[in-house]
Amino acid sequence: MTIKKSVTPASLAAQAMGWIDPVTRAVVPPIHMASTYERDADNAYRSGRIYARADNPTFDQAETTLSALEGGAKALIFSSGMSAATACFLALAPGDHVVAPKVMYWSLRNWLGNFATSWGLKVEFVDADRIDAIVAAVRPGDTKLVWLETPANPTWAVSDIAAAAEIAHKAGALLAVDSTVATPVLTRPIEHGADIVMHSATKYLNGHSDIIAGALVGAHDDEHWARLRMIRAQLGTVLGQTEAWLLMRGMRTLFPRVQWACRSAETLAQKFSEHPMIAEVLYPGLPSFAGHAAAKKQMSGGFSGMLSVRIKGGEPTAIATAACVELWKRATSLGGVESLIEHRASIEGPGTPCPPDLLRLSVGMEDAGDLYDDLDQALRRAHNA
Ligand code: PLP
């Protein structure tokens, strides 16, 4: 790496740590396709590489860059956000107690409530935007992990990372934060006391809706981190080499993409707050939002490109509104250059805490005025106005 570590994170990301290929002087790295590496004649593996189920040189640049952006000691990229997240729980032992939010990425909540529980973890779901609820749930000596997602899907509830870290650490537990929506552009959870930062790298880190990927960043290169690395190698939840290359390519434009999305989301949140067919806008950047003060404490440079709107007329009108958009794309996921709209409750199914009148909006890189006009016409058509 040839870039000065003292430059800003935006510059580190743009140059992918300033990497230049030592042989060809290429400014973009090659993709290493090999699944295995030659062993030395004396039986050693001096290259440090053995087999590509454990790692691949194509991961190095993305892991080093992400670790630098998050201010961590180490990073690992995974085959999906889910495989990165579940590794954190599989690194615990059956019988361990964990605290997780009631409002969080639904598939992980389902996995915790089903697989993790039957595997032996004691999982307690709390209102993680209330610090007293975390205090009440944590059992000193018994709780091994407190999991946060902030802002949390799909209501964007904000958890106070520093306060939760203090509670977790006092009880002898680790604090892990799903920071997919905030990205290191807006929040660096390790600076607030988190031990592990998790990303669905499918979203903003890649940014182009063309890979599924996950990542963990560790504050400490310790025994626990070695366990996470071992889980990835043993389960084989490594990212493909082409996907790792695409992830790095996407991360180079992380800062301008996130900054653009934040500006547009803020404009849309303000304008939709005054829309006669919208009952409520959920966005951490709005002063009226319950988590605004906590968000201001730990987010800088914006409040993310994600917001949700609750539609007057309830669930059928919300679904009808989504049906009438022409520019927004009706699709799940978030954090890509194209703006997405989703009726979230019908994806999450029974038992979801998501209100049925809620549409989740992932704001991409189109013109904010075009996005407003399109949703406005869809609202009017859905309301027969
Ligand atoms: N965490 C959050 C906040 C997400 O939105 C998602 C996916 O939507 C995940 C985790 C899971 O990531 P992946 O789909 O990459 O497995």
Side-chain angles (χ1 to χ4, degrees), residues 80-83 105 149 153 178 180-181 198 200-203 212-214 333-334 360:
S80 67
M82 276 299 283
S83 60
Y105 174 57
E149 179 181 322
N153 250 302
D178 180 341
T180 298
V181 168
M198 179 254 147
S200 166
T202 312
K203 317 299 186 205
I212 297 287
S333 200
L334 58 99
R360 187 179 83 173

